């Protein structure tokens, strides 16, 4: 029905920056909230940031002031600009979207397959 594809992950030194992108495609009528989550080795998946369709944002305390989430409603894309990266930010980053599809016309939760971010010290 809906596919979310992340890109932009990679290896970066501490203090560096990366920009993640996630494009949603498929039977999309509209997209409500979009967000980024991450899962570090041996840990549970956690919220990084979310953004509503009206651009209201929410961040985990650990990334406030360093990460910025944004979206393009025309392109069905959400971004995560990550600055001042720390080794503790190393994780697989997953895109999430609350999508109203043209099949069911009700909101459903979709996830991407993730992109790996590795921050070296």
């Amino acid at each position: 029905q809906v596919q979310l594809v992340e890109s932009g992950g990679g290896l970066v030194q501490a203090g560096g920056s990366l920009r993640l992108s996630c494009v949603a495609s498929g039977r999309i009528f509209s997209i409500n909230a979009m967000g980024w989550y991450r899962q570090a080795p041996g840990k549970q998946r956690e919220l990084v940031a979310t953004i509503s369709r009206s651009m209201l944002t929410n961040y985990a305390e650990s990334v406030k002031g360093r990460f910025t989430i944004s979206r393009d409603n025309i392109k069905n894309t959400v971004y995560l600009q990550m600055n001042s990266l720390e080794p503790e930010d190393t994780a697989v980053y997953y895109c999430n979207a609350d999508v109203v599809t043209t099949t069911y016309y009700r909101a459903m939760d979709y996830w991407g397959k993730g992109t790996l971010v590795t921050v070296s010290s």
Side-chain angles (χ1 to χ4, degrees):
Q1 295 291 330
V2 174
Q3 297 80 40
L4 301 181
V5 179
E6 302 101 333
S7 61
L11 174 64
V12 64
Q13 287 189 332
S17 298
L18 282 174
R19 188 191 193 211
L20 306 183
S21 300
C22 171
V23 181
S25 63
R27 297 181 178 272
I28 298 171
F29 177 73
S30 66
I31 303 178
N32 299 321
M34 302 184 81
W36 290 94
Y37 292 73
R38 66 186 182 187
Q39 187 166 18
K43 294 188 177 182
Q44 290 186 333
R45 190 174 297 188
E46 63 176 6
L47 168 74
V48 177
T50 61
I51 184 167
S52 70
R53 185 169 182 84
S54 58
M55 309 299 176
L56 294 175
T57 60
N58 178 55
Y59 294 92
E61 286 295 326
S62 60
V63 307
K64 279 184 180 178
R66 301 188 298 124
F67 291 10
T68 301
I69 190 170
S70 61
R71 66 187 282 176
D72 184 327
N73 289 334
I74 302 299
K75 296 181 179 179
N76 291 334
T77 301
V78 62
Y79 306 96
L80 186 68
Q81 178 66 44
M82 305 186 293
N83 298 328
S84 302
L85 282 161
E86 305 168 351
E88 293 74 23
D89 296 316
T90 295
V92 177
Y93 283 71
Y94 297 92
C95 176
N96 173 263
D98 186 41
V99 181
V100 178
T101 66
T102 56
T103 303
Y104 301 109
Y105 289 99
R106 62 181 177 88
M108 297 178 69
D109 208 32
Y110 291 90
W111 291 88
K113 294 183 177 180
T115 184
L116 177 62
V117 171
T118 303
V119 184
S120 63
S121 57

